[in-house]
Amino acid sequence: MDSSPAARLTPLGAALAGLPVGLHLGKMLVLGSLFHLAQPALAVAAGLSVQSPYVRLQAGDAIKQSARGGMESPHGDPFTLLNLFQEWLDIK
């Protein structure tokens, strides 16, 4: 194994190597923890690691569209998943 300085893991790399998730999700979890945002980071990572909880809407399916309420975010799926998780916490 190469022990040159270029071959060593960074502290972030060492933390990611110990997580049983992909690099992108792992980085989100580590940085979420560092910035004291562990709960939202966990919720988004969990939501992104499984199939979408939403089903495709058929044209004119007003019941499903109204059930989504204001949870859909114009900022993308991770924020929509976070809104969905927060809604679940509110009604739980």
Side-chain angles (χ1 to χ4, degrees):
M1 187 171 208
D2 189 1
S3 63
S4 69
R8 294 190 189 134
L9 288 176
T10 64
L12 177 59
L16 293 174
L19 296 175
V21 296
L23 292 176
H24 290 95
L25 293 178
K27 189 172 182 182
M28 182 189 321
L29 295 172
V30 170
L31 294 178
S33 178
L34 287 174
F35 290 114
H36 305 287
L37 296 168
Q39 184 178 11
L42 283 168
V44 171
L48 291 173
S49 66
V50 297
Q51 185 176 356
S52 174
Y54 287 124
V55 295
R56 288 195 183 271
L57 294 177
Q58 299 299 321
D61 196 341
I63 295 172
K64 289 178 186 171
Q65 185 64 40
S66 67
R68 289 184 182 186
M71 291 183 280
E72 286 193 64
S73 173
H75 302 292
D77 290 345
F79 289 97
T80 298
L81 290 169
L82 188 56
N83 291 340
L84 179 63
F85 177 69
Q86 188 60 51
E87 181 71 19
W88 178 77
L89 286 178
D90 292 345
I91 63 174
K92 180 180 159 191

